[in-house]
Amino acid sequence: MSPKKQKVVAFGECMIELRTAGHGLMRQSFAGDTLNTCIYLARLADGAYGVDYATAIGDGDPYSEGMLAAWTDEGIGNGLALRRQGELPGLYAISVDDTGERSFHYWRRDAAVRRYFDAPSTPLERQIGDIDLFYVSGISLAILPPAGRDRLLAAMAAVKAAGGRVVFDNNYRPKLWASAEEALEVYRRAYALADIALVTLGDEIEVLGGIGEADAIETICGYPCPEIVIKRGSAPVLLCLAGKERGEVAVEPVARVVDTTAAGDSFGAGYLAARLRGMAPTEAAATGSRLAATVIQHPGAIIPLAAMPKLF
Ligand code: ADP
């Protein structure tokens, strides 16, 4: 009998993306940090595991339907997606000025996903026992009201208690938090539950209140998480394992970076796809870096399927 396929679940927000396409035109797609990671994870699965995306969308509008179809096309399961009548997904626009500098504008305060946990019981919470790897980011926590945050943290604890692994990626968007202190308090709880922490150093420095890099690394390595992966752009990835063992994994610098969108999201997918195959953290960090290096040589968060590198 073949072993049971592992189940990977991410909770987060997928938004409608509008990108300037010249002369008053906008190109529309769908994106969001956790969804980007799910798409790359699904592309790298090759039968080793299945991926489901837990979120909330509207009920019957063309954008919610389009999102669902886009995930399904990428091989992501939608059994944990909740439909909320009369609501819509969030939206963001990327504008590009004359110098090529991009800026992001969000309409997400009313997004359906903010009320995912308004129901007394959700599809995610009902399937906790089936989850082998549960992926949550700082944005997943930031978009929820306090009661929803508590429910998501409780779901993380429940996955862990049931023998699954919890992954926390620290993606920090200050505008989504009342203050850095509020974020820090919630991040502390998330790190304490995480089996694997994927930490962007620059983001964590902001959460920690602008301390120096060396101090931030010491602080991060002291978090109560057995597998901490610190990403630092083109600088080597740092690993802090079991609270003591430290390691560095070199990153092959990319000479011509086109667009760094989803560098961290794709790194996370490569890292986790390798760990789900039983590879060691050092090999996993090299795998994550190889995928991220390809992604940043293409425009946008999601590269064409044909451009995916062969990683396994
Ligand atoms: P985030 O997107 O979360 O801000 P980083 O900028 O730290 O994350 O990048 C995540 C990963 O992407 C890095 O660990 C590295 O593997 C890869 N990466 C980012 N920038 C470069 C670069 N200039 N050259 C090569 N790899 C890069």
Side-chain angles (χ1 to χ4, degrees):
M1 212 173 76
S2 60
K4 187 179 149 282
K5 197 162 136 185
Q6 298 177 87
K7 181 166 173 152
V8 178
V9 171
F11 174 85
E13 175 177 25
C14 173
M15 288 170 285
I16 302 161
E17 180 190 284
L18 297 177
R19 187 178 279 264
T20 304
H23 305 297
L25 293 174
M26 305 285 262
R27 184 185 305 280
Q28 191 252 302
S29 57
F30 303 107
D33 66 331
T34 42
L35 180 75
N36 301 340
T37 303
C38 278
I39 289 176
Y40 287 118
L41 269 169
R43 288 183 179 186
L44 298 174
D46 198 22
Y49 52 83
V51 182
D52 266 64
Y53 194 48
T55 189
I57 54 174
D59 192 15
D61 68 277
Y63 298 102
S64 299
E65 295 313 311
M67 265 182 192
L68 212 62
W71 309 333
T72 313
D73 281 355
E74 289 281 356
I76 298 169
N78 58 25
L80 304 181
L82 206 134
R83 289 169 177 278
R84 294 190 52 92
Q85 207 156 17
E87 298 183 6
L88 288 166
L91 177 149
Y92 73 106
I94 307 171
S95 64
V96 185
D97 71 13
D98 294 343
T99 66
E101 194 63 39
R102 293 172 308 145
S103 53
F104 294 76
H105 313 273
Y106 295 92
W107 293 259
R108 68 198 299 188
R109 269 187 218 125
D110 272 336
V113 67
R114 295 194 166 221
R115 285 174 286 274
Y116 187 87
F117 290 102
D118 275 14
S121 153
T122 62
L124 169 69
E125 292 163 306
R126 287 192 290 274
Q127 289 193 31
I128 290 288
D130 297 335
I131 302 176
D132 295 293
L133 191 108
F134 187 37
Y135 182 83
V136 171
S137 80
I139 297 176
S140 316
L141 285 159
I143 55 168
L144 295 170
R149 262 176 214 160
D150 287 345
R151 289 267 292 278
L152 180 54
L153 288 158
M156 292 160 75
V159 168
K160 208 174 157 82
R165 279 189 285 180
V166 172
V167 183
F168 177 61
D169 186 317
N170 77 332
N171 272 331
Y172 178 55
R173 300 292 176 273
K175 274 193 184 161
L176 295 175
W177 295 94
S179 64
E181 290 73 35
E182 181 192 44
L184 189 59
E185 191 265 321
V186 174
Y187 275 39
R188 284 218 170 99
R189 293 165 69 193
Y191 283 121
L193 293 168
D195 296 281
I196 301 176
L198 300 170
V199 183
T200 298
L201 183 59
D203 285 23
E204 200 66 14
I205 287 175
E206 277 191 73
V207 178
L208 292 168
I211 62 173
E213 273 197 25
D215 287 343
I217 290 166
E218 281 313 304
T219 304
I220 296 164
C221 287
Y223 290 163
C225 169
E227 187 172 332
I228 302 172
V229 184
I230 307 179
K231 299 166 282 173
R232 306 181 296 164
S234 58
V237 174
L238 301 178
L239 295 171
C240 308
L241 303 175
K244 43 187 192 297
E245 192 190 327
R246 302 264 179 109
E248 264 194 29
V249 180
V251 169
E252 188 87 38
V254 167
R256 217 180 74 82
V257 175
V258 173
D259 180 352
T260 56
T261 307
D265 307 336
S266 56
F267 175 95
Y271 186 91
L272 296 173
R275 294 290 286 134
L276 283 156
R277 284 173 167 78
M279 292 161 69
T282 46
E283 290 174 272
T287 307
S289 291
R290 282 208 294 281
L291 179 57
T294 307
V295 169
I296 64 178
Q297 292 178 68
H298 290 82
I302 307 298
I303 63 173
L305 204 50
M308 286 291 289
K310 177 108 188 80
L311 296 173
F312 301 108

